[in-house]
Amino acid sequence: MLSRTADCLFWLGRYTERAANVARGLSVTLRLASLSSELGAELDAWRSLLVASGCAPGFDAKHAETTQENVVDFLVRDPDNLSGIIPCFSAARHNARTVRTALTVDMWGALNDSWNQIRTAEFQGERLPGFLEWVRERVLLFNGAAQDTMLRGEPWLFVQLGTALERADNTARLLDVKHGLLGRASQDTVEYGQWQAILQSVSALRAYHWVYRDRLEAAKIAELLILRPELPRSLVACFGRVVEVLERIAAGQGGRRGECHRLAGELHARLAYGRIDDILEGGLHAFLTDMIGRTARLGSEIEAFYIRA
Amino acid sequence: MVRAFDEMRQGPEGPVRGAYAEVAAWLARTPLEELEAKRAEAELLFRRIGITFAVYGEGGDPERLIPFDIIPRVLGRTEWERLSTGLAQRVRALNAFLADCYGPQEILKAGRIPARLVTGNDLFRQEMLDFTPPGGVYTHIAGIDLVRTGPDEFYVLEDNARTPSGVSYMLENREAMLRLFPKLVARHRLLPVNRYPEDLLATLKAAAPERAGPDPTVVVLTPGSFNSAYYEHCFLADEMGVEVVEGADLFVENEVVFMRTTAGPRRVDVIYRRIDDDFLDPLAFRPDSLLGVPGLMAAYRAGNVALCNAPGCGIADDKAVYPYVPEMIRFYLGEEPKLANVPTYLCEREEDRAYVLDHLHELVVKLAQGSGGYGMMIGPHATAAERAEFAARIRARPGDYIAQPTLALSTVPTLCASGIAPRHVDLRPFVLSTKDEVRIVPGGLTRVALREGSLVVNSSQGGGTKDTWVLENDPSPSTQPC
């Protein structure tokens, strides 16, 4: 496959996933902000979302004040923020159009319809929860169309690669939003509500109860989202998928491998054989920061090997 | 202007020509509302497939649909075979002419064509001198525009020897007709058009350098998604099962062309290029071109890659060279032309210019190197001010203009806002050439001028298209109206 096509498909996977993840991040923050007990604490929630999503510098360059409305506008609409929901849809559609023949009609339809609707959608105030839900549904529709209709060749694998890598990055960032909360045990009801919100944001609250059949505990939440392979959005599951996809691409090319294969394998092994106590002992924030950095490096290595070689 | 020849029938009560017997009967028994519903369905179909043609510089949505008319244009077997033989003859002569002009230049030495029209032409490529492309073919894919003025009167209006477009519409139009009117199609025995992609791939493979072996790597080179014919580039690549690439996807190393793939560099043997000569290679032609591939011409001249069509074909389809094509046929093939040219006045000839300036009200004036219906004037439809403007332009730059009589282009019934009415058409068959043979898919692209009385069929000027049917057998000569 042409490197340019791979590039478009890889980023198509990343942009669609990112749009949904920003929506997830906004949803959990909305919930956390409404749960705050202290006056002014809800603004901290919006602030930590900006920091965790890596958007704080861009935001501060444009806004003097951190308010819900400003943050939402920046993360949803602002064309200067390339990680915003609407800019992500726009970039995804552009990529899809460039490699139109590599996509199925259903994938294109899901994306094109979303793009046509999102341009005029309202998302502030009361509309926000409904809008965020809609964004998640549209991305689920796109992923479902890909899953159901796409030929299992290299094009499919590159979309999957983009999705899995972006998802890993997002889970690490979401955890990082409230790493302080998960680093200690607590019986505070407010904190309990906050834990629930974090799990809900990765569609994992029910999953927690199925896996642990117990009350929420900080260490177990961290373990579920980082180390449990059963949860499709856990770090270990995402990297497992990255390794699997990279191996399938290599198999299709007569075993040709590069640094990205080694790095992905190393990352996955670390998670597959890691223990949550060790991670928490070393500090959750430090661990997550390291994971986010390695995920970014893996992305660059994949591009260096397959796309910009 | 004389009344145009209608390909279905002369006048509302006149006899229906044989080839149209079934179509006329269908039109007579189908209520207008039903036809209109079918037209809406066709539009939906084309929009869903995403067949668009980009029109720039006019504001509005640049991604436009070319209007498709659901009433087919029908040709009989004998009619088509006459055209087909004439087309093959003409394209053979054009290829011989190109080989000659970039080689011994015998036709120029013999004084049969003025040398300045060829070697002094902007489209003449010095880079092609003393070099023979693989197989000696220059224009592998040619589109020859034909018009008709009577039952047996066909003329070549112009040749397109560089990068003719429109063939995807020919194929999609047939698909649309098969989906919308299976019964009507079934009442005819039509010669199929859907082998075009296969023929094209075979033509491109045959153009490959010898060392490429039996299965050369073919790509379609596009200027990118902003080009008006981008849809067609992707469509053809997809149908042939080859990659559609942009300049940046290719690179040249040691005079060998590679494309960048996920599995590493892959050698390319044949490039069906849909970008103009000027933009092919910034090292050889326009240095500011970002669309092309640096070093491509060197690789081509080294015999490591084939370009289809060859650079420099512009001298064969230039409108100032066009009047000499019949001469080429006599010179290279020793035959009389089977397809006539439209009489053409070259404004740079003093005698012709005087005639043109005196008869602007009845002539069509065109830019010698223009295309797409831009920069032309149709005398009988022009205002006095427009004619005065063109007269001034012709006096200022006579070499840039040619003129032809305004032909009464034939008409075919067309579904218009006001019902079914005759509209003028032309025909662009696509001619594929290898060193051994010439292949033409029966029919071609019929373009129709949708505005009443308009003679301009170009899609960039609001023209539409029709499916073109060639019957497997000749029809009986004519039937009575139904």
Side-chain angles (χ1 to χ4, degrees), chain A residues 269-304:
Chain A
R270 228 178 128 204
L271 294 162
Y273 299 107
R275 292 194 310 186
I276 195 64
D277 296 345
D278 298 339
I279 290 171
L280 293 179
E281 206 180 293
L284 187 58
H285 179 60
F287 173 81
L288 292 170
T289 308
D290 181 52
M291 286 309 291
I292 291 168
R294 282 166 189 266
T295 308
R297 223 190 99 207
L298 178 55
S300 319
E301 289 296 341
I302 289 170
E303 297 195 53

Side-chain angles (χ1 to χ4, degrees), chain A residues 1 3-4 98 154 256, chain B residues 63 230 246 249 260-262:
Chain A
M1 182 173 49
S3 297
R4 180 170 49 87
T98 313
E154 268 197 8
R256 186 173 162 269
Chain B
E63 274 179 48
Y230 182 66
E246 295 179 15
D249 296 325
R260 297 172 218 273
T261 79
T262 52

Side-chain angles (χ1 to χ4, degrees), chain B residues 117-129:
Chain B
L117 288 183
V118 177
T119 51
N121 196 312
D122 287 346
L123 300 170
F124 185 78
R125 300 284 172 224
Q126 301 289 342
E127 296 80 359
M128 292 299 290
L129 284 169

Side-chain angles (χ1 to χ4, degrees), chain B residues 317-329:
Chain B
D317 66 12
D318 186 76
K319 291 191 185 70
V321 172
Y322 158 90
Y324 298 95
V325 176
E327 223 19 59
M328 292 176 201
I329 295 171

Side-chain angles (χ1 to χ4, degrees), chain A residues 93-130:
Chain A
R93 181 182 180 272
H94 175 79
N95 279 16
R97 190 170 177 270
T98 313
V99 294
R100 180 69 186 75
T101 54
L103 304 184
T104 63
V105 174
D106 293 316
M107 290 169 78
W108 169 253
L111 209 54
N112 199 36
D113 291 350
S114 307
W115 166 240
N116 283 325
Q117 289 174 47
I118 206 170
R119 286 190 287 178
T120 52
E122 290 186 32
F123 55 84
Q124 285 289 8
E126 295 288 299
R127 308 259 185 180
L128 186 59

Side-chain angles (χ1 to χ4, degrees), chain B residues 20-214:
Chain B
Y20 280 86
E22 288 290 348
V23 171
W26 166 66
L27 289 177
R29 70 171 174 263
T30 311
L32 198 57
E33 307 82 68
E34 200 177 304
L35 292 176
E36 273 162 1
K38 284 289 187 184
R39 174 173 59 187
E41 205 182 310
E43 190 175 325
L44 205 65
L45 201 67
F46 279 81
R47 206 170 273 289
R48 267 198 30 223
I49 313 173
I51 309 179
T52 54
F53 188 93
V55 180
Y56 293 102
E58 292 174 17
D61 186 357
E63 274 179 48
R64 291 186 205 169
L65 219 53
I66 296 193
F68 169 66
D69 185 66
I70 57 173
I71 305 176
R73 190 233 196 128
V74 193
L75 296 169
R77 176 76 177 245
T78 311
E79 268 175 344
W80 168 250
E81 271 169 6
R82 256 191 55 213
L83 292 180
S84 171
T85 327
L87 291 164
Q89 178 196 49
R90 191 170 178 103
V91 173
R92 255 188 226 114
L94 292 175
N95 268 314
F97 171 70
L98 285 159
D100 184 23
C101 290
Y102 292 114
Q105 304 191 334
E106 278 160 14
I107 200 166
L108 308 182
K109 287 174 194 153
R112 307 281 279 271
I113 294 181
R116 78 198 140 68
L117 288 183
V118 177
T119 51
N121 196 312
D122 287 346
L123 300 170
F124 185 78
R125 300 284 172 224
Q126 301 289 342
E127 296 80 359
M128 292 299 290
L129 284 169
D130 310 315
F131 166 73
T132 309
V137 180
Y138 287 76
T139 179
H140 306 81
I141 301 109
I144 309 294
D145 292 349
L146 302 174
V147 295
R148 182 179 205 176
T149 57
D152 294 312
E153 288 82 45
F154 286 92
Y155 295 93
V156 174
L157 190 64
E158 64 182 56
D159 305 291
N160 298 277
R162 284 172 278 175
T163 53
S165 64
V167 77
S168 56
Y169 300 101
M170 172 185 87
L171 297 167
E172 295 284 21
N173 287 355
R174 177 63 53 85
E175 274 308 302
M177 291 303 281
L178 285 167
R179 279 210 227 177
L180 295 168
F181 306 106
K183 282 189 192 153
L184 177 66
V185 175
R187 277 196 290 275
H188 297 80
R189 294 186 65 88
L190 302 184
L191 293 178
V193 295
N194 56 8
R195 65 182 168 86
Y196 182 82
E198 259 173 59
D199 285 357
L200 177 61
L201 185 59
T203 303
L204 295 169
K205 283 184 170 179
E210 227 164 277
R211 53 135 283 281

